[in-house]
Amino acid sequence: MRKILIATHSTLASGALNSATFLIGNQSDISIIDAYVDETDYTQKIDQFFEYYNTEDEYVIFTDLFGGSVNQKIFTYKNNFEFFLITGFNLPILLEIILYNQSLTKEAVKQLVENCRKELQVVEVDSFESIAEDEESFL
């Protein structure tokens, strides 16, 4: 079973989960941490995520900023648990990881991340027309 945690500053985590749920339906094995929205210590939520850690399961954690406080805190758990830590995530990589129907390997995760980096781009008229032409060829 794949267990996913989205941990971000403020409400990006809950927003990302809401968007994913909108696009692909309810995902029961995804936890979120909206850090710093109140005085609660979000470390307890990380502990809860790993409370029933099982080496047979796959764990993937998304954080928003490489080197940010949330990312740094999650990184300290790498000493005790095996998991993939993806930072600077976008919605495409979140969806790819959720929908990936094979066991995740380091190489597979790196390839998925690389593929989804291409989704981050400046859209200009020429590139938009190219997309429109491609879509017409599918009709």
Side-chain angles (χ1 to χ4, degrees), residues 13 17 30 42 48 53 55 63 73 77 100 102-104 126:
L17 179 58
I30 299 178
Y42 66 88
Q48 289 171 353
Y53 183 81
T55 57
T63 62
K73 180 62 77 178
Y77 285 77
Y100 193 75
Q102 300 173 34
S103 292
L104 288 171
D126 291 345

Side-chain angles (χ1 to χ4, degrees), residues 1 9 21 36 40 46 50-51 61 66 95 122 126-127 129 138:
M1 178 176 280
H9 298 83
T21 300
Y36 304 113
T40 306
I46 302 170
F50 286 117
E51 185 173 1
I61 300 180
F66 178 73
L95 296 174
V122 176
D126 291 345
S127 61
E129 288 174 354
F138 289 110

Side-chain angles (χ1 to χ4, degrees), residues 21-125:
T21 300
F22 175 79
L23 293 169
I24 60 174
N26 189 28
Q27 305 299 313
S28 61
D29 289 322
I30 299 178
S31 302
I32 60 163
I33 295 175
D34 290 329
Y36 304 113
V37 294
D38 57 30
E39 299 299 320
T40 306
D41 179 9
Y42 66 88
T43 304
Q44 295 172 356
K45 291 181 180 179
I46 302 170
D47 293 339
Q48 289 171 353
F49 179 73
F50 286 117
E51 185 173 1
Y52 299 107
Y53 183 81
N54 182 340
T55 57
E56 301 293 318
D57 292 331
E58 295 177 334
Y59 293 81
V60 181
I61 300 180
F62 294 92
T63 62
D64 51 355
L65 295 171
F66 178 73
S69 58
V70 176
N71 181 260
Q72 289 181 38
K73 180 62 77 178
I74 297 285
F75 186 77
T76 63
Y77 285 77
K78 295 279 277 177
N79 294 328
N80 299 317
F81 303 102
E82 284 290 322
F83 59 92
F84 296 104
L85 176 57
I86 300 172
T87 190
F89 76 99
N90 58 15
L91 189 56
I93 188 61
L94 178 60
L95 296 174
E96 288 284 349
I97 293 291
I98 292 169
L99 298 173
Y100 193 75
N101 61 6
Q102 300 173 34
S103 292
L104 288 171
T105 63
K106 185 176 181 180
E107 293 75 26
V109 171
K110 285 183 172 184
Q111 186 61 55
L112 291 171
V113 167
E114 190 58 35
N115 293 346
C116 292
R117 282 184 187 173
K118 297 173 186 169
E119 297 292 326
L120 182 65
Q121 58 184 291
V122 176
V123 177
E124 298 182 37
V125 174

